[in-house]
Amino acid sequence: MAEEKKKRGSTTDIVRGLAQPLAAELGLTLWDVTFTKEGAEWYLRIFIDKPEGVNIDDCVNMTHAINPVLDQEDPISQEYMLEVSSPGINR
């Protein structure tokens, strides 16, 4: 499995590849993807943007779009928390 994952790229590269077309379909720009461990928890963070700014509905729509894809493709072996948000004003 580790060798297969290496061939496919890093976790963030894989998730970026899955999320990019979904974001585009929703009229969003995929800003960044991070996968980090904080304490005992892993966090997959997907940052989205659009010219007029991101609202909570955009985050919810992206979450609903990416969840089944992540479940099907299963690119992450450990448990993690998914967060979808804007890159913020300090980007």
Side-chain angles (χ1 to χ4, degrees), residues 1-19 22 33-35 42-46 65-82:
M1 177 76 174
E3 187 173 317
E4 178 184 329
K5 189 174 178 180
K6 270 190 173 178
K7 289 179 185 175
R8 292 174 45 193
S10 71
T11 299
T12 55
D13 289 341
I14 294 166
V15 173
R16 188 175 285 112
L18 297 171
L22 299 172
V33 175
T34 63
F35 186 59
W42 282 92
Y43 291 87
L44 175 62
R45 293 186 174 106
I46 299 174
I66 194 69
N67 260 330
V69 175
L70 291 172
D71 287 345
Q72 179 181 345
E73 297 296 321
D74 199 20
I76 302 171
S77 59
Q78 65 265 40
E79 290 186 23
Y80 61 92
M81 303 287 290
L82 172 64

Side-chain angles (χ1 to χ4, degrees), residues 26 28 48 50 52-63 84:
L26 295 170
L28 304 167
I48 55 173
K50 65 181 183 184
E52 61 274 14
V54 173
N55 61 41
I56 190 70
D57 291 332
D58 295 320
C59 295
V60 169
N61 291 338
M62 185 65 189
T63 300
V84 176

